[in-house]
Amino acid sequence: MSFTFNDSAAVGIVFDDGAADAVISAADSADQVLRGEGVFLDGAMDHAVEDFKGGYAQLFTQACAIRADDRARLAGVLAALAEDVRQAKLKAQEEKSRLKKLTAWRQRADIREQHFQTFQSVASDPMPMEWPIAAPTISAVFSARDRARFAGGAGGATSSADPGKLREFVAQSRASMNILDAELGRIRNAWSGFTSACSWVNSGSVTFVSGFERLLTENAADAAWLEQIAAAFETAGSGSMADTILNSALIQHASPGQVSLNDVGALNADQLKAWLAAPANKDRLQGLLSQPGLDPLVTAKWWAGLGHTVTKNGTIEPGISQKLLIEALPGVIGNLNGVTATARNLANRLRLATEKERINAELAKTPQLLRIGTGDSITNPAWTILQTQQKALDGIGQALVNAGTSGEAVLLGFDLTHGSPKAQVSAGNPDTADNVTYAVSGMLITPQSGFNDWAFNAANLQSQQKLISRKKSFAVVAWINYEPPTVPTVNSGDAAGAGADRFVADLQGFNAVREGLGNRTPETLHVLAHSYGTTVTSNALAAAELDVASFTMVGSAGIEKEIRNTGDLHVPAGQVYATHAAGDGLAQMGRFQRQDPRLESFGAKVFSSEEVTIDGTQYQGTTEHNTLVHENGGDGYGYLDKGTTALYEAALTTTGNGDRIRPGARPVSPPAGFAGR
């Protein structure tokens, strides 16, 4: 009878007792040092908090509690690790003994087989346990927790501290960290040796080394943080200071979502520059400034707090911090209600160049045509969008030229990527002008088509206003910051509703800036609109109190019937005006389901757009629905062409001189299709 044995059993297992003992010793030592750190630090912590009060004192106390809890958990993990390795060592010894006995038995079995010994001799020498002892699995899981080091907030809270006591704690903490760092090095090396010399043991989840490292990193960060707090108190020369000052020094410790606009506003220029250097912080600030429902009054106060200078001649010079934000986030600042027009203009002019570069680069790699399954080609939609954006930029550039024909041109905002392109350009500076008129265009006017003419209209109105009131300064905003309707949709109110919301937001932003600058009066703001723009603006004026001094409508496409009369428009009594030229055959198309603001029941004052001589000067009558005709080489005249009655009268109504208008004709009755009240 013969036996066959597995020779691999005689190979043994890879388990070095010395490597195991090194882990046990290192883990036991680190366990004891960690448990002793509390006794070492508690006195220093109690000493520090005697004079440490306020939001940052609370954060310090919380950080110490987290540190104590983490070191206790790590000590427990290391104690368990030492015990697991001891047990693994015993199991390894048992397995080595079994393998040794099995190897000796096999040698005896070979001898018996060679000498043909009887089966009974085998029975008297039973085979040792053939099945191996299962190798144990060792896991040691630990992760250190984050610690909050930024109080944040805009309240009037203060913190107090004795910087000397804070530094004493830092010294004690660092002494402890040096000891723990040595323990970390020892256990790290011991574990590395164990894993290579004791591969018989299975490794489960083992994170205690990285967790130990993270714990010491957090401890070191606390020490650096406390030093910054101590330095801030020493610099202040006082034992008490506002939390907002500490926030400025410690904002780099803020976690995502914790920073507020007030925290950013409290930074000085150097602090802000350092903070913005991190891309994540720029993204964080962009999110804050782009949040829906951001109050323009809050934004205006925040922006002004960053610092700007009002010069002797009344112009506004942005401060260093404001310029940093303009450079960092031009697309946001350039369209942000509550920011001064001066700053927005700087941001938007910067964006004009970068947007041109972007579009040219994207066009260079975007094919105009796409092949389809039939083998034919279609125009690439992406290419079409880029072409539209490029044309819009060209239109904005020309609008700036046209708006500047009577002085300064200000680019208040533009948007190429959210829906159809939008923009607003001002002839004159809305920050400083004595009188500001928002002029709202109608159907089909977009940055890529017609905006340059609308900017000319703004310049024309500004020039005429200057002739009427020579001692005042004027700004006229060419506003097309909405998606206007096309011919098929002009009778719909959807575009007017959406446009009204945007108009309300923009005028609230204007008011917030002017209130902040201290140069807002009840006579400052006026509104003029043409065609479908009158539908947009009347909706806006009915929806919100915007402190508008006058509202002028030319060639109106109609007012929604829900607006009963001028009393619903939040405009001073007698300061709502309307005109419609006899030669305008298009405006009434928009009034099929809307009311004509010239109706007696609506209550607007009607002025003439027909040819007339005033004080010896002949003014031309408007011959069609458009606003700019003669200056574009046409035979007739638009509402806002130079030298027209409509332009002269509109300049009167928008400068507080509406009592001087020439009365115009009212319609006899509503149009046949008007389903009015």
Side-chain angles (χ1 to χ4, degrees):
M1 186 174 185
S2 65
F3 295 88
T4 302
F5 303 103
N6 183 357
D7 290 335
S8 65
V11 174
I13 62 172
V14 180
F15 190 95
D16 181 79
D17 286 357
D21 288 338
V23 170
I24 294 169
S25 176
D28 282 341
S29 177
D31 172 17
Q32 293 304 313
V33 172
L34 282 163
R35 294 182 191 279
E37 189 194 44
V39 177
F40 185 69
L41 285 182
D42 282 350
M45 186 190 76
D46 291 341
H47 190 53
V49 297
E50 288 176 354
D51 301 289
F52 200 6
K53 310 297 180 185
Y56 281 91
Q58 293 175 9
L59 292 178
F60 171 67
T61 302
Q62 293 167 8
C64 289
I66 293 172
R67 178 174 180 168
D69 182 66
D70 279 356
R71 69 172 172 252
R73 288 191 300 112
L74 177 57
V77 169
L78 292 174
L81 174 65
E83 182 59 29
D84 288 346
V85 174
R86 288 189 185 94
Q87 293 300 316
K89 181 180 176 182
L90 292 175
K91 290 287 185 181
Q93 290 171 346
E94 291 178 18
E95 177 63 3
K96 288 178 180 179
S97 175
R98 183 192 71 81
L99 289 172
K100 183 177 181 181
K101 292 176 182 178
L102 185 58
T103 299
W105 183 87
R106 286 173 175 169
Q107 291 173 348
R108 294 193 298 275
D110 287 342
I111 293 172
R112 283 194 294 273
E113 186 174 2
Q114 291 171 9
H115 293 83
F116 304 102
Q117 293 183 8
T118 63
F119 180 80
Q120 284 75 14
S121 64
V122 176
S124 64
D125 185 13
M127 181 180 181
M129 185 175 67
E130 182 178 11
W131 302 110
I133 294 174
T137 298
I138 293 180
S139 297
V141 178
F142 170 74
S143 60
R145 289 181 291 165
D146 294 334
R147 302 172 198 173
R149 300 185 183 91
F150 182 71
T158 60
S159 288
S160 59
D162 181 337
K165 292 180 180 179
L166 297 185
R167 292 192 184 279
E168 288 176 18
F169 179 87
V170 169
Q172 289 282 80
S173 177
R174 284 180 172 155
S176 176
M177 284 190 290
N178 289 336
I179 298 171
L180 283 175
D181 191 55
E183 295 295 326
L184 169 61
R186 184 181 174 194
I187 189 66
R188 183 197 291 119
N189 293 336
W191 181 252
S192 177
F194 178 81
T195 56
S196 60
C198 301
S199 58
W200 174 69
V201 175
N202 297 316
S203 290
S205 179
V206 178
T207 62
F208 77 93
V209 172
S210 61
F212 202 156
E213 292 170 344
R214 177 63 185 279
L215 175 62
L216 295 188
T217 298
E218 287 292 310
N219 292 350
D222 270 350
W225 173 65
L226 280 175
E227 279 191 324
Q228 286 183 286
I229 294 175
F233 278 103
E234 288 166 346
T235 300
S238 169
S240 178
M241 68 171 64
D243 279 355
T244 52
I245 298 177
L246 284 172
N247 291 345
S248 299
L250 303 168
I251 194 170
Q252 70 269 23
H253 297 291
S255 60
Q258 192 178 9
V259 175
S260 70
L261 285 179
N262 287 303
D263 294 323
V264 177
L267 301 176
N268 62 38
D270 289 338
Q271 291 168 334
L272 179 60
K273 184 176 181 179
W275 188 74
L276 287 172
N281 289 337
K282 288 173 63 174
D283 293 342
R284 187 180 302 177
L285 180 56
Q286 180 166 341
L288 285 172
L289 296 175
S290 303
Q291 58 186 309
L294 185 61
D295 188 344
L297 287 171
V298 172
T299 303
K301 183 178 180 180
W302 168 76
W303 183 257
L306 292 170
H308 53 230
T309 302
V310 180
T311 64
K312 291 182 179 180
N313 61 4
T315 61
I316 298 170
E317 177 63 31
I320 298 174
S321 292
Q322 291 179 339
K323 289 179 179 178
L324 285 171
L325 291 179
I326 289 170
E327 293 170 1
L329 298 171
V332 176
I333 301 302
N335 289 288
L336 185 57
N337 280 318
V339 172
T340 61
T342 304
R344 290 172 66 169
N345 180 58
L346 290 174
N348 289 317
R349 300 259 184 179
L350 181 62
R351 282 185 63 226
L352 277 180
T354 57
E355 284 291 84
K356 286 179 181 178
E357 291 175 0
R358 174 188 69 83
I359 292 170
N360 289 336
E362 291 187 24
L363 277 172
K365 59 184 179 182
T366 303
Q368 180 178 354
L369 300 175
L370 292 177
R371 304 280 288 183
I372 58 177
T374 61
D376 296 327
S377 296
I378 61 171
T379 301
N380 185 351
W383 181 87
T384 300
I385 291 173
L386 290 169
Q387 283 285 306
T388 299
Q389 292 177 351
Q390 190 176 61
K391 291 178 181 178
L393 282 182
D394 291 341
I396 292 169
Q398 187 58 52
L400 283 168
V401 173
N402 294 352
T405 56
S406 61
E408 180 184 8
V410 175
L411 182 52
L412 274 176
F414 70 94
D415 182 2
L416 304 182
T417 56
H418 298 88
S420 67
K422 307 171 190 67
Q424 41 186 324
V425 166
S426 178
N429 193 325
D431 286 341
T432 56
D434 298 318
N435 178 297
V436 179
T437 302
Y438 271 73
V440 180
S441 61
M443 181 179 70
L444 298 176
I445 305 299
T446 65
Q448 61 271 24
S449 177
F451 188 33
N452 54 341
D453 283 355
W454 194 244
F456 246 139
N457 292 331
N460 286 350
L461 180 58
Q462 184 201 33
S463 296
Q464 189 65 52
Q465 289 172 330
K466 289 178 180 178
L467 292 174
I468 290 174
S469 300
R470 297 180 183 275
K471 293 183 179 181
K472 291 185 177 181
S473 57
F474 296 90
V476 179
V477 179
W479 192 90
I480 57 167
N481 195 26
Y482 79 111
E483 299 185 24
T486 58
V487 173
T489 61
V490 72
N491 283 307
S492 167
D494 293 344
D501 291 340
R502 298 178 70 90
F503 192 64
V504 167
D506 284 351
L507 262 59
Q508 287 174 336
F510 167 83
N511 286 332
V513 169
R514 292 295 295 253
E515 291 289 349
L517 293 173
N519 59 0
R520 177 76 166 86
T521 72
E523 295 77 33
T524 297
L525 180 61
H526 301 258
V527 173
L528 176 141
H530 171 249
S531 190
Y532 194 84
T534 66
T535 313
V536 174
T537 48
S538 58
N539 284 352
L541 294 172
E545 175 57 73
L546 299 171
D547 294 323
V548 169
S550 74
F551 176 35
T552 302
M553 295 170 276
V554 297
S556 175
I559 310 301
E560 302 293 358
K561 59 186 177 182
E562 290 77 14
I563 301 174
R564 296 168 300 174
N565 51 50
T566 59
D568 289 342
L569 295 179
H570 300 106
V571 177
Q575 295 302 313
V576 178
Y577 304 91
T579 189
H580 178 98
D584 180 354
L586 293 178
Q588 58 263 38
M589 292 177 58
R591 300 197 296 261
F592 182 70
Q593 292 292 327
R594 303 186 186 103
Q595 57 186 314
D596 188 332
R598 297 175 301 152
L599 287 170
E600 189 76 40
S601 60
F602 188 73
K605 292 182 177 179
V606 181
F607 62 87
S608 173
S609 291
E610 311 306 324
E611 182 178 345
V612 66
T613 299
I614 304 174
D615 296 332
T617 300
Q618 182 177 355
Y619 292 91
Q620 302 296 327
T622 298
T623 59
E624 56 182 270
H625 182 64
N626 292 327
T627 54
L628 202 67
V629 178
H630 191 75
E631 290 178 73
N632 279 339
D635 293 334
Y637 289 88
Y639 281 101
L640 300 178
D641 264 317
K642 289 180 180 178
T644 60
T645 302
L647 178 66
Y648 175 80
E649 300 287 292
L652 291 174
T653 63
T654 56
T655 57
N657 292 285
D659 56 330
R660 293 165 52 187
I661 60 171
R662 299 297 192 276
R666 294 186 183 275
V668 176
S669 62
F674 174 63
R677 292 175 300 279

